[in-house]
Amino acid sequence: MQRLEVIARTYYDSVTLMRVAKEITAREGVKSASLSMGTEANLRILAAGGFDLTGLEAGPNDLILAVAGEESVLEEALSTAKAYLANPPWRQNQDDGGTYRPRSLDGAVTVLPEANLAIVSVAGRYAGDVALECLGRDLNVMLYSDNVSLEKEVEIKKAAREKGLLVMGPDCGTIIVRGVAMGMANACPTGPVSLVAAAGTGLQEVHVQLAKRGVGTLHGIGTGGRDVKAEVGGLMVEMGVQTLLADDEVKVLVVVGKPPAPEVEQKILAQVRAGGKPAVLGFIGGEARGDQPPVYICRELEETAAVAAALAKGEDVAAARRSLAEADEALKVLAGKIGPRKGWLRGLYSGGTLCYEAQLIAQDLLGPIHSNTPLKKELRLEDSLASVEHSIVDFGEDEFTQGRLHPMIDVSLRAARFEEEAKDPEVGVILFDVVIGYGCNPDPATGLVEGILKARALGKDRIAFVASICGTEADPQDGARQRRILEEAGVTVCHSNAQAARLAAYLLKG
């Protein structure tokens, strides 16, 4: 049985909604509970979860409470959910100890008058105006919020450029300032490399891969993925590169992102070459080709990190690339040991750049890959929750994060998708990423394994599960522990996202 209730024109932050849903789901007799805003994507998610939406009237500004389970407990579950929203149990009996917590920008500036950076994390429809207000106070901005319009992004960044300030975002989940990581970021050493990244998980993956090679990062300037599109023109990538080229502590410059507009790529490449500093350009799927030392062009994120690490340590770049080729040969051997699989590849990703990189690699080996963020427009999925043939889906896209937590925080949607994908008898490999670090789910592997075990029960030995972990042992979740949890559930965990995508494709080619 199930019950649904719509509370019109009511908004709660995604963290509160997730925590209340977990509290309700844990109650005896409740099979599942969902609290979400009535966006089109969330309605599709509810329908995919078995909820009957017939006659339901809800829009993006309306809150939907949905519970399923034993009929006798459903009404009480809904009442408890509303009570928890009004007075969350985790906030009850809290003693602030008289500590002042500012509730406005004015108050925050009063408390920290020396601050020069503001982190903005509010609903996307308000975030742009808050960012402009921060710029008016001469604050650089990390715009964590997503769902900010492209027009507003251009307005904000033009205003920032006029004032000589950085706007990192929108949808910028990670930055690093003098070795201090903020947002969804990893515990890595400080060192001579600095990055400008039009890619959140692209920055994280390179940051982590550098750390695995014993090389630290000083700065990581995120710009948001749209910055390198023609409409924005690479405004903040250009400012970030200029800033790092002028910093004598930065010995190696790295620029990463999804493929930029050709004119933006050429502009950034010319700027980097003119800087004269050892640099690595890692636009995944970009048009630039061929090294021109001291500038090196890379196709993948791990390659970008390997080349940057070699430059930082004074080692041979060619040798670094040969080691990656040797790792590739080892993957082919591993695929043979695991055993070939038949059918389709299904990728379930939380990181947008990792998803894009996986598509590029899989496409070269398997052919066309369908996605909600496809390499080619004609390969766009009609429904992001209905995979066809080879499909790799980015669950961190705006369609899934309106009124819902990012999948790096809430793993429940992806966990449920494992089981759904396994119901397709033609699925042979399921590929996914696990992103850990500050700001991410405290134990994503455990949450994902719940879905993986259900999928394995359906798929028996037909499906191979392949993953990579973007993180380190020093992260709060402990990368080594996350790996053990996944491997105990039968998942093959690779050293990098690129290697995981390649192994998944080799399994289907074999």
Side-chain angles (χ1 to χ4, degrees), residues 421-462:
E421 297 293 354
K423 290 177 181 178
D424 184 341
E426 295 189 72
V427 171
V429 176
I430 295 180
L431 169 69
F432 61 101
D433 63 338
V434 180
V435 182
I436 62 175
Y438 304 113
C440 297
N441 186 289
D443 186 13
T446 296
L448 292 169
V449 161
E450 291 179 10
I452 290 168
L453 293 178
K454 293 177 182 178
R456 288 181 65 82
L458 287 170
K460 303 300 181 184
D461 294 328
R462 167 175 55 90

Side-chain angles (χ1 to χ4, degrees), residues 11 104-105 108-109 116-137 139-148 152 156 166-175 182-184:
Y11 174 83
S104 66
L105 181 58
V109 170
N116 65 358
L117 171 65
I119 300 177
V120 176
S121 180
V122 298
R125 58 183 179 272
Y126 307 122
D129 290 334
V130 175
L132 286 170
E133 188 179 355
C134 292
L135 292 173
R137 293 179 175 274
L139 295 167
N140 297 284
V141 175
M142 177 186 179
L143 188 47
Y144 185 89
S145 306
D146 54 8
N147 296 299
V148 176
K152 179 63 73 172
I156 296 165
L166 285 170
V167 169
M168 295 168 278
D171 199 12
C172 174
T174 306
I175 67 170
M182 287 171 262
M184 294 172 173

Side-chain angles (χ1 to χ4, degrees), residues 93-115:
N93 302 318
Q94 284 187 348
D95 181 7
D96 288 340
T99 302
Y100 172 62
R101 295 185 179 181
R103 295 180 177 274
S104 66
L105 181 58
D106 286 339
V109 170
T110 299
V111 173
L112 290 172
E114 72 281 5

Side-chain angles (χ1 to χ4, degrees), residues 309-449:
L311 291 172
K313 295 191 286 187
E315 297 176 351
D316 182 26
V317 169
R321 285 183 165 138
R322 283 196 298 272
S323 70
L324 293 178
E326 291 168 1
D328 184 36
E329 291 302 314
L331 289 175
K332 294 176 183 177
V333 174
L334 177 58
K337 291 180 179 179
I338 295 171
R341 296 298 193 270
K342 296 180 180 180
W344 305 119
L345 168 67
R346 297 290 160 80
L348 308 176
Y349 271 80
S350 63
T353 309
L354 300 180
C355 176
Y356 199 90
E357 180 183 50
Q359 289 182 67
L360 277 172
I361 292 169
Q363 169 193 259
D364 289 346
L365 294 166
L366 299 177
I369 308 293
H370 300 269
S371 178
N372 59 336
T373 57
L375 304 180
K376 299 178 181 179
K377 292 181 179 179
E378 60 267 26
L379 294 173
R380 180 174 294 277
L381 289 167
E382 290 186 13
D383 182 348
S384 300
L385 292 174
S387 301
V388 297
E389 300 179 339
H390 297 307
S391 293
I392 301 179
V393 177
D394 175 13
F395 285 84
E397 267 291 281
D398 284 0
E399 63 177 306
F400 288 118
T401 59
Q402 293 179 357
R404 190 181 188 93
L405 278 173
H406 195 280
M408 291 182 199
I409 303 172
D410 182 2
V411 302
S412 60
L413 180 57
R414 282 204 300 161
R417 287 305 305 174
F418 285 119
E419 186 176 6
E420 290 302 312
E421 297 293 354
K423 290 177 181 178
D424 184 341
E426 295 189 72
V427 171
V429 176
I430 295 180
L431 169 69
F432 61 101
D433 63 338
V434 180
V435 182
I436 62 175
Y438 304 113
C440 297
N441 186 289
D443 186 13
T446 296
L448 292 169
V449 161

Side-chain angles (χ1 to χ4, degrees), residues 151-268:
E151 294 76 17
K152 179 63 73 172
E153 178 176 351
V154 173
E155 177 188 356
I156 296 165
K157 290 184 173 178
K158 285 183 176 179
R161 182 179 60 179
E162 290 177 4
K163 296 176 71 72
L165 297 169
L166 285 170
V167 169
M168 295 168 278
D171 199 12
C172 174
T174 306
I175 67 170
I176 305 160
V177 179
R178 300 203 66 80
V180 177
M182 287 171 262
M184 294 172 173
N186 301 96
C188 297
T190 303
V193 178
S194 287
L195 301 89
V196 178
T201 48
L203 193 161
Q204 282 188 265
E205 177 79 344
V206 174
H207 190 207
V208 165
Q209 291 297 328
L210 283 167
K212 289 180 178 180
R213 290 164 170 81
V215 175
T217 300
L218 183 63
H219 300 300
I221 299 174
T223 68
R226 293 189 308 203
D227 192 81
V228 292
K229 301 304 181 185
E231 296 84 349
V232 186
L235 289 173
M236 290 298 116
V237 170
E238 190 174 7
M239 282 189 66
V241 168
Q242 179 182 339
T243 300
L244 297 180
L245 285 173
D247 188 338
D248 291 338
E249 291 186 83
V250 177
K251 304 305 180 185
V252 178
L253 170 67
V254 175
V255 184
V256 297
K258 294 180 185 177
E263 65 273 20
V264 174
E265 184 175 21
Q266 287 304 312
K267 179 173 65 173
I268 300 304

